Amino acid sequence: MAHEIEKQLDDHLAPNKRFDMALDHGSVTATDVEAESIGVSAEAIDYRCHPNAAGPPPRQIAERLVEQVNYMQEPLAIIEDDLEGSATQVRSARPQAHPDGARYYELVAEPGHISVRRYQRQTDGERKSIPMRFTRETFGRLCRDLDDSVSTD
């Protein structure tokens, strides 16, 4: 699968495009993607399970991601579950300090869907979405880990 992701990135030359790829248990879509020789920038990453797949509950997916995704800029931690257990939120455990405000990842696991975003907390307390930047290898690994997190094997 790593080779297929790399090939898809090689074919993805223009900026501000979507990256779509089918994986074993679902598909990944990244928006506003810029793929360069060693890096990938994306505004958002969304993973969707195959329509008829019954993946694990969101809490279990989040636990798997916290354990597997240990190569990002900050370690991840589960922040909260909604009252019905239909969504679990994961964020950077220690946000990255930045002069313009703290930066952090946020992953939300819901039945059949995982979203990945990066935010910057503004000095006024508001937050804004900022691009995520990865090496090609890290981007591919994250796509595979999202797919593996919904496996029932």
Side-chain angles (χ1 to χ4, degrees):
M1 186 182 332
H3 177 70
E4 290 86 5
I5 293 171
E6 186 71 26
K7 172 81 171 98
Q8 182 92 358
L9 288 171
D10 286 342
D11 294 341
H12 190 87
L13 301 175
N16 301 319
K17 289 201 153 192
R18 285 170 53 104
F19 173 92
D20 291 299
M21 184 160 193
L23 302 171
D24 292 338
H25 307 289
S27 62
V28 68
T29 300
T31 56
D32 292 329
V33 173
E34 292 187 40
E36 298 175 354
S37 60
I38 60 170
V40 176
S41 173
E43 187 68 31
I45 299 172
D46 287 292
Y47 176 85
R48 296 217 179 265
C49 294
H50 292 309
N52 296 329
R59 177 70 185 207
Q60 187 176 346
I61 292 169
E63 289 169 350
R64 288 178 180 179
L65 289 170
V66 166
E67 184 178 319
Q68 288 177 314
V69 182
N70 58 6
Y71 46 83
M72 305 283 264
Q73 292 171 317
E74 305 98 27
L76 301 174
I78 293 175
I79 300 301
E80 69 178 300
D81 294 302
D82 70 0
L83 295 175
E84 295 82 36
S86 61
T88 300
Q89 185 180 55
V90 173
R91 282 194 182 162
S92 299
R94 292 184 303 274
Q96 183 183 64
H98 191 272
D100 295 331
R103 295 179 173 185
Y104 58 93
Y105 288 99
E106 181 176 280
L107 290 76
V108 178
E110 301 170 295
H113 178 246
I114 305 165
S115 66
V116 182
R117 306 286 187 279
R118 187 150 177 83
Y119 292 102
Q120 179 175 301
R121 175 124 356 245
Q122 305 296 295
T123 54
D124 61 5
E126 295 294 316
R127 69 180 189 168
K128 73 173 186 173
S129 179
I130 59 173
M132 296 175 279
R133 292 182 177 86
F134 307 102
T135 64
R136 283 174 164 242
E137 181 178 321
T138 301
F139 177 79
R141 186 174 175 188
L142 179 59
C143 291
R144 291 187 308 276
D145 284 343
L146 291 171
D147 195 49
D148 289 345
S149 73
V150 301
S151 172
T152 56
D153 299 337

